[in-house]
Amino acid sequence: MIDFLCTVQEGCIPENMREELESAIEKTSISILGSAKGPFSISWSEIPRDFGFRGGKPTTTSHVRGQIPDGCDSETRERLMKEIGERWYDITGQTEDELIVAARDEGWKGNTITIS
Amino acid sequence: MPLYRCIIPKDSLDYDQRQEIAEAFTNVHCGISAAPRSFVHVWFIESGDGDRVKDSHGDGFLDYKTDYYIAGGNRAGRPPEVRQEILVGLIEKFCEISGVDSKDVSGHISEGPASWTMEAGHVLPEPGEEPAEWYEHATIPG
C-alpha cells in the first residue's frame, strides 16, 4: 500500500490545487514503484495560520509524507521523492525550500523513546 | 526534520506562547544536535475531547493520556541518551513557557533514516555527516 499525508499551512495551497497534486503524486508513485505496490491513498491536513513554525518563525513549508512498501532501494526512493518534489513545485509555485518530502517503509517501527 | 508536533487543548496557548515555545524547541534541538535552525519544524495541533491525531506508527493515531503531548520525529542515528536529553529539554521548556504542570505533559521521539526524507531539494545527510554547505540553509526563511 502507498499512503501519503500532505500537511500544508493555511493559506498556502489553495483547495482547488489539491486534486491536481493528488493526481500528480499518485501517477508519480505508481510510475516509479509500480502499480503492484498499490493501492494508493492520500489525505490532507492543514495547520492553521500561526500554528506552524520553522526555526522559531511562522512557516509556509508543506510536508508530503508517505508510507511505501518495505524493501524500496535507495535510488528508487530518492527518485520518488525528487519527482514528487518537481511536480509539487510546478503545480504550487512553492520553492525547494518550502517543501519536505518523505517516503518511509510502512513496516518501520520508529525506534521510539517515550516520556509518559 | 526534525518535526515536533505539540498536541494541545483548544485555546490553551496564545500566539506569543506558541512562538516562544517554537523558538525554545529550536534552541533545545540545535543546542544538542548539528541541525541548522531552519530545519526545526514545530506545529501546534489543537485537540478536543474524542479527537484523534493521525500518526504514522502503531494503529495510525497518536496514543497519549495527558492533556498535552509532544510528538517528535528525528533523523535516526543519535544515541538513545541524546534523544532522551532532547525530549526532556523540550518538555521542560514547554512547561516553563506555557505554565502547564509537567504531570500533564508527555511525549515521544521516533526516528527514521535520514535518507528517507528530502528537504530543500536534497536527501538529508546522516547525523554527523552534514556537509558544510548544509548550513547555508540556516538562514532560509519560511
Side-chain angles (χ1 to χ4, degrees), chain A residues 47-65:
Chain A
I47 303 296
R49 198 181 305 276
D50 294 336
F51 280 70
F53 297 84
R54 179 175 178 179
K57 298 179 173 58
T59 184
T60 58
T61 302
S62 302
H63 295 239
V64 176
R65 297 183 178 274

Side-chain angles (χ1 to χ4, degrees), chain A residues 3-5 7 9 43 45 47-63 65 67 72 74 77-78 81-86 89 96-106 108-116, chain B residues 1 3 8 13 15 18-19 22-23 26 37-46 54-57 66 69 76 80 83-85 87-88 91 105-123 137 140-142:
Chain A
D3 182 22
F4 274 89
L5 172 63
T7 304
Q9 310 300 320
S43 55
S45 175
I47 303 296
R49 198 181 305 276
D50 294 336
F51 280 70
F53 297 84
R54 179 175 178 179
K57 298 179 173 58
T59 184
T60 58
T61 302
S62 302
H63 295 239
R65 297 183 178 274
Q67 294 182 59
C72 182
S74 58
R77 192 188 307 265
E78 182 170 347
M81 294 190 292
K82 291 205 165 182
E83 290 198 19
I84 287 174
E86 293 300 329
Y89 311 141
E96 282 188 347
D97 293 322
E98 293 176 291
L99 179 67
I100 291 170
V101 182
R104 48 156 288 210
D105 284 1
E106 60 185 347
W108 176 253
K109 299 299 182 197
N111 197 18
T112 303
I113 61 156
T114 302
I115 293 179
S116 52
Chain B
M1 268 194 172
L3 169 63
I8 60 174
L13 297 178
Y15 173 79
R18 295 194 301 270
Q19 195 278 327
E23 184 86 35
T26 305
R37 293 182 65 79
S38 65
F39 275 52
V40 181
H41 303 264
V42 181
W43 299 344
F44 294 86
I45 299 171
E46 293 188 325
K54 202 168 178 185
D55 192 39
S56 57
H57 299 295
T66 50
Y69 192 78
R83 285 184 288 142
Q84 186 80 15
E85 185 183 357
L87 185 53
V88 167
I91 290 177
V105 185
S106 58
H108 80 252
I109 291 178
S110 59
E111 59 178 20
S115 62
W116 291 1
T117 299
M118 182 185 82
E119 187 153 356
H122 300 281
V123 172
H137 289 286
I140 291 169

Side-chain angles (χ1 to χ4, degrees), chain B residues 7-8 12 20 25 27 30 34 54 57 67 69 90 92:
Chain B
I7 317 305
I8 60 174
S12 58
E20 194 176 345
F25 278 21
N27 293 338
C30 295
K54 202 168 178 185
H57 299 295
D67 289 339
Y69 192 78
L90 299 177
E92 280 179 3

Side-chain angles (χ1 to χ4, degrees), chain B residues 63-114:
Chain B
D63 181 22
Y64 58 96
K65 295 178 174 57
T66 50
D67 289 339
Y68 298 81
Y69 192 78
I70 298 165
N74 286 358
R75 286 181 295 159
R78 298 190 181 95
E81 58 270 22
V82 172
R83 285 184 288 142
Q84 186 80 15
E85 185 183 357
I86 292 173
L87 185 53
V88 167
L90 299 177
I91 290 177
E92 280 179 3
K93 284 298 176 187
F94 185 92
C95 293
E96 182 184 313
I97 295 164
S98 65
V100 173
D101 193 294
S102 60
K103 70 176 172 44
D104 295 323
V105 185
S106 58
H108 80 252
I109 291 178
S110 59
E111 59 178 20

